Amino acid sequence: MQTNIVKWGNSQGIRLPKILLESAGLSEIDIVDITVENGNIIIKKAENKNKFKTIQERFEGFDGEYEPTEIDWGTPKGEELW
């Protein structure tokens, strides 16, 4: 299978066909590690440690108390509405 390298903003990118991703066990929401070995670009599914976490996962095990506080940002500057 072949594809082109294309300009994508200030970088370059390639499109990976869905069938190729499926056969590698990857989907569009997966995080991958990219390395270069002997002139070859290697793309691997990242371990769970790099996975985006939900707010519930981030605070799992937190047993402290939270007290919301107000912050005085001072008087309006410019055209903000307060």
Side-chain angles (χ1 to χ4, degrees):
M1 187 176 300
Q2 293 183 337
T3 189
N4 293 328
I5 298 174
V6 295
K7 186 163 179 57
W8 193 346
N10 289 330
S11 300
Q12 289 79 40
I14 59 170
R15 288 182 182 243
L16 301 174
K18 184 177 180 181
I19 190 78
L20 184 68
L21 291 175
E22 287 174 349
S23 65
L26 295 169
S27 69
E28 65 184 25
I29 62 169
D30 287 328
I31 297 172
V32 295
D33 289 323
I34 303 173
T35 57
V36 176
E37 294 178 13
N38 300 320
N40 296 305
I41 297 172
I42 311 293
I43 302 172
K44 294 182 188 177
K45 189 172 187 175
E47 295 179 22
N48 286 340
K49 66 180 179 177
N50 293 329
K51 178 185 135 210
F52 291 112
K53 294 183 179 181
T54 65
I55 193 73
Q56 290 82 7
E57 290 171 325
R58 290 178 182 269
F59 285 96
E60 188 175 296
F62 176 75
D63 59 357
E65 293 293 322
Y66 172 71
E67 292 283 331
T69 59
E70 288 191 25
I71 299 174
D72 182 3
W73 296 98
T75 59
K77 309 273 190 238
E79 297 181 29
E80 327 54 39
L81 298 175
W82 289 58

